[in-house]
Amino acid sequence: MVYAPAADCHTRDLSNISAKIAIIGLGTVGTGVAKLLLDHGDRTARHAGRIPWLEKVIVRDLEKPRDVEIPAGVLSDNLEDIVNDPEIKVVAQLIGGTEPARTIMLQMLEAGKDVVTANKALLAEHGAELFDRARELDRCIAFEASVAGGIPIVTNIGQCLTGNQITALKGILNGTCNYIITQMQQHGTDYQSALKQAQQLGYAEADPTLDVDGSDTAQKLAILSHLAFGVRIHWQDIPLEGIESLQLRDIQNADRCGYRIKLLAESKLNGNAVEMNIAPTLVRKGNPLAEVEDAFNAIRVRGDAVGPVFFHGQGAGQMPTASAVVADIIDTVVGRTRLTFGNLELWSDAQSPRQMAPADTAVNKYYIRLQVNDDPGVMASLTSIIGRHGVSIASINQQQTQSDDPENTVQLVIMSHATTAGAIKAAADELKNSANIKGSPVVMRIMNS
Ligand code: NAP
Ligand code: HSE
């Protein structure tokens, strides 16, 4: 077998030993994929058994400056250049959002192409339709990069852990949120500046609301839970809280008490139901999930045979994500994707669907922060509200915010014993209406080990 050296990959006639690839979308991820294919033809050829040859790159605007030098004749703004080339068998579809991404993916499948995508919004919303259509057309879809960027979690759950019944997944699945929280915690950076940095570094979605409100995490958790548990739920049905209202003082309070706050996604089997939740959560320092920083992601998977397995790596950004996309391209060229795709029966009626467990019954310990009037009897009245809802208090810390506070308030930080989400919500609702409280109570879960 002759492999092309990287330097002359696009100047020699290698048509008999190459597999033609197309990319749609040359943003953060598309650029990384083009760089790997163009600069490392030797490496990708060695792993694919032939050269994954970048034949076409489709963009909207041919004049827009790009961060990668695309060889002459490769860049185009016409999707028909892919459709009409029967030798292009694999298309990396790297545009975000659901439309026109859905229509383009269907168009590619109909044209006989296998598709690689990083687009979790598209899969979480239209996975059933797209996977059904791919199966009908005897095509396949690879989607490793859609969850946790460079961490090979889809392959691990879908292939390497299939001797197990997965019983629980816990993870940090959004690089942008973890980057923001890390900057706030380590440097005291304000929320907006940290978000702006995450956008500049290429971590955030085109609409970063999807990152910070937890939607992106929910789409990823829906995909992973689908793989792990066969649960067919819409991502919008997952109980969800983002980090938009996270305050530095809660990060500092958590730190003083021995915790880090993380946007934690959880999914676990409870009988035949699956408990799912996404919310800012206190994680005990020293737990590997507490030590995940910046745009890194991590997932702890528990299988009934293997026990706990921990995955950690860069969950967002150009090259980590391109790493996952190019692995999928190679797997598709080699034929591995076809084998697993056919057998996974993703989003198919053949699966026995489990139901999502009711949110109110999940049991956790909680962190509660209240800003309260500094008057006699207030503490007793507030703790009695909490107690009335069956919530038992593990510790209380009272701290005067400012000695000259004209409003005469103090901060109360309460840690509860384990209780249900329903009980804590009822307690928080009643606390909110108490005349002794300024503003709303802040309530966060504490991660069970
Ligand atoms: P991005 O930087 O916004 O790039 C998207 C690209 O798609 C842009 O270049 C855009 O063109 C192009 N595009 C949009 N509609 C198009 C169309 N109809 N035809 C051709 N090109 C079109 O987004 P990204 O960060 O690369 O993300 C791409 C996908 O990967 C998203 O689904 C995202 O969720 C996912 N993802 C991203 C990361 C990450 O770290 N960034 C990680 C994992 C997964 P213009 O340049 O003209 O705007
Ligand atoms: N916006 C996403 C994140 C990209 O920050 O995690 C990776 O999916």
Side-chain angles (χ1 to χ4, degrees), residues 346-384:
L346 280 167
W347 278 280
S348 102
D349 289 334
Q351 293 190 358
S352 62
R354 292 187 161 101
Q355 298 299 313
M356 196 157 70
D360 280 2
T361 55
V363 174
N364 283 281
K365 296 175 185 171
Y366 282 88
Y367 159 98
I368 306 162
R369 173 171 62 77
L370 308 168
Q371 196 68 28
V372 307
N373 293 334
D374 192 6
D375 292 326
V378 167
M379 176 89 85
S381 102
L382 296 175
T383 53
S384 89

Side-chain angles (χ1 to χ4, degrees), residues 1-2 12-20 49-51 53 87:
M1 175 68 71
V2 180
R12 291 164 52 194
D13 178 11
L14 301 165
S15 47
N16 56 340
I17 54 163
S18 63
K20 289 187 179 178
R50 70 193 97 147
I51 302 158
W53 176 271
E87 287 185 16

Side-chain angles (χ1 to χ4, degrees), residues 168-170 259 264 266 268 281-289 300 302 308 363-365 418 445-449:
L169 300 166
K170 257 188 224 297
Y259 295 91
L264 198 72
E266 289 190 73
K268 70 172 179 202
T281 303
L282 276 69
V283 184
R284 174 70 72 188
K285 284 184 208 172
N287 182 305
L289 286 167
R300 192 180 76 189
R302 191 176 285 278
V363 174
N364 283 281
K365 296 175 185 171
R445 292 182 309 169
I446 301 173
M447 189 181 108
N448 299 322
S449 53

Side-chain angles (χ1 to χ4, degrees), residues 45-226:
R46 201 165 53 247
H47 293 137
R50 70 193 97 147
I51 302 158
W53 176 271
L54 187 55
E55 182 71 11
K56 278 288 159 220
V57 176
I58 305 297
V59 295
R60 280 189 295 206
D61 178 0
L62 289 169
E63 303 306 319
K64 189 171 170 179
R66 305 287 167 180
D67 210 16
V68 55
E69 198 175 326
I70 302 294
V74 173
L75 208 61
S76 160
D77 59 0
N78 187 358
L79 282 168
E80 296 300 314
D81 287 349
I82 303 180
V83 171
N84 295 329
D85 185 343
E87 287 185 16
I88 298 177
K89 300 271 199 265
V90 181
V91 177
Q93 207 257 57
L94 301 172
I95 66 178
T98 50
E99 282 297 351
R102 170 186 157 275
T103 306
I104 292 174
M105 191 183 283
L106 288 170
Q107 190 184 359
M108 293 302 131
L109 294 169
E110 306 282 348
K113 323 292 180 190
D114 292 329
V115 180
V116 173
T117 185
N119 189 332
K120 58 276 170 162
L122 177 62
L123 296 184
E125 198 65 55
H126 296 294
E129 178 193 18
L130 294 167
F131 281 74
D132 276 351
R133 194 67 191 126
R135 275 187 287 268
E136 281 162 19
L137 294 163
D138 196 24
R139 302 267 50 96
C140 53
I141 299 170
F143 53 100
E144 180 61 73
S146 66
V147 184
I151 304 176
I153 188 65
V154 170
T155 304
N156 270 285
I157 294 181
Q159 295 179 37
C160 310
L161 295 173
T162 42
N164 292 262
Q165 171 58 62
I166 306 290
T167 54
L169 300 166
K170 257 188 224 297
I172 294 165
L173 299 178
N174 185 273
T176 301
C177 290
N178 206 56
Y179 180 85
I180 292 171
I181 296 172
T182 307
Q183 295 309 305
M184 289 172 76
Q185 188 246 317
Q186 291 185 353
H187 309 292
T189 312
D190 68 273
Y191 174 88
Q192 284 303 339
S193 310
L195 171 57
K196 206 164 164 203
Q197 286 170 16
Q199 288 179 282
Q200 284 160 352
L201 289 164
Y203 302 149
E205 297 301 301
D207 173 5
T209 316
L210 298 173
D211 292 293
V212 295
D213 74 2
S215 299
D216 177 84
T217 300
Q219 288 160 353
K220 291 166 176 168
L221 187 66
I223 293 171
L224 288 187
S225 303
H226 197 100

